[in-house]
Amino acid sequence: MARTDPLARVEKMYVDGFPDATDASIEDLRASYDALLLQFPVPESATVTEGEIAGVPTVTVTAAGAATDRVLVWFHGGGYVLGSAKAFAEMAHGLSRAAGVTVILPDYRRAPEHKYPAAVDDAVLVATAVLEQYDAVAFGGDSAGGGLAVATLVSLRDRGAPLPAAAVLISPLLDFSRSGESIHANAATDIAVSNASITDLGAAYLQGQDERTPLASPLFAEHHDLPPILALVGSAEVLLDDSRRLTEKVNAAGGTAELSVYDDMCHVWTLFASILPEGAQALDEAGAFLEKHIQA
């Protein structure tokens, strides 16, 4: 399939941005992933602050003109092993600008040092505190962070706790058992994620627990009584069917879930919105969805 010049550039950045995983340490991989994303600076017009919520470190990003009383809690990607709040601040700025909200990025604990359910525990702590402090709240996340966002929704619902107004997911990782058809059908077109990489990340995070544990692979949770969800995913991704199946399950359970598939896009293409027009378009779509559902 032909690639546009911007998409080819982004895919090359993905491929060139990581050392050989067979020889690299986790610290090397983490540093490389952060470096890949930190080359895109947050505009000076934004307000970026580091802090802590419920004992969990956070980075808060507010674009110029965005509201401070309307909040999006965004869980960053990285397979529960890589990624950091600081490295995802530029994309958070894009979401803040598009939705007119303040974005809170929790630096939840990562595997393998902290296995499941450490990330979920941290996410629930932050989510609960934010929901207690603000009236207008949404959740979201990309890749594993998208799975963590859904796990947090399920956990709060099962506790009878308040829920946010809506949730946005970008290329969510929802199934560590890798049971979707796109895992194999899109193996040749996904340059960022593979059956093998999901297997390795799952081993680091789950450390022997069932791959279909509902709060680790929330595709296998119950999906009733959840807020409206928008899932955005690239047609070339191995995780395409995670989003397809989740939206089907939420709608079948009586909820509202929208699926937006971007032709030929790579994993979490919104990270490269300054290069990819489709990345900027997806952020605008997410922003419009959030703006529709979050009311101060």
Side-chain angles (χ1 to χ4, degrees), residues 133-204:
Q133 183 176 353
Y134 297 93
D135 293 328
V137 179
F139 292 175
D142 60 277
S143 194
L148 185 55
V150 179
T152 304
L153 292 175
V154 170
S155 182
L156 292 175
R157 179 205 63 199
D158 289 350
R159 298 174 186 209
L163 292 171
V168 169
L169 315 173
I170 299 175
S171 303
L173 169 58
L174 304 168
D175 174 15
F176 272 118
S177 74
R178 311 168 310 283
S179 61
E181 292 183 7
S182 59
I183 290 289
H184 304 290
N186 285 350
T189 57
D190 194 325
I191 49 82
V193 184
S194 66
N195 191 337
S197 67
I198 298 170
T199 301
D200 290 344
L201 293 168

Side-chain angles (χ1 to χ4, degrees), residues 53-250:
I53 296 176
V56 179
T58 58
V59 173
T60 299
V61 182
T62 308
T68 57
D69 59 348
R70 302 165 71 232
V71 174
L72 170 64
V73 179
W74 192 266
F75 301 104
H76 71 76
Y80 298 100
V81 173
L82 312 179
S84 67
K86 183 178 180 181
F88 278 75
E90 194 270 343
M91 188 174 81
H93 172 266
L95 288 161
S96 176
R97 175 200 55 76
V101 300
T102 289
V103 180
I104 296 173
L105 294 154
D107 246 332
Y108 55 87
R109 288 171 291 171
R110 298 174 299 187
E113 298 94 330
H114 304 283
K115 66 180 181 179
Y116 169 85
V120 180
D121 291 343
D122 288 355
V124 169
L125 284 172
V126 173
T128 300
V130 170
L131 286 163
E132 288 175 352
Q133 183 176 353
Y134 297 93
D135 293 328
V137 179
F139 292 175
D142 60 277
S143 194
L148 185 55
V150 179
T152 304
L153 292 175
V154 170
S155 182
L156 292 175
R157 179 205 63 199
D158 289 350
R159 298 174 186 209
L163 292 171
V168 169
L169 315 173
I170 299 175
S171 303
L173 169 58
L174 304 168
D175 174 15
F176 272 118
S177 74
R178 311 168 310 283
S179 61
E181 292 183 7
S182 59
I183 290 289
H184 304 290
N186 285 350
T189 57
D190 194 325
I191 49 82
V193 184
S194 66
N195 191 337
S197 67
I198 298 170
T199 301
D200 290 344
L201 293 168
Y205 182 48
L206 294 169
Q207 298 188 24
Q209 297 194 57
D210 189 338
E211 291 177 335
R212 297 194 176 197
T213 298
L215 293 185
S217 293
L219 185 69
F220 303 106
E222 296 293 327
H223 300 103
H224 60 86
D225 298 316
L226 298 179
I229 292 172
L230 170 65
L232 303 101
V233 65
S235 67
E237 296 195 60
V238 297
L239 295 178
L240 172 61
D241 281 340
D242 283 30
S243 289
R244 279 179 174 164
R245 292 179 294 167
L246 177 74
T247 54
E248 289 171 358
K249 286 175 178 285
V250 170

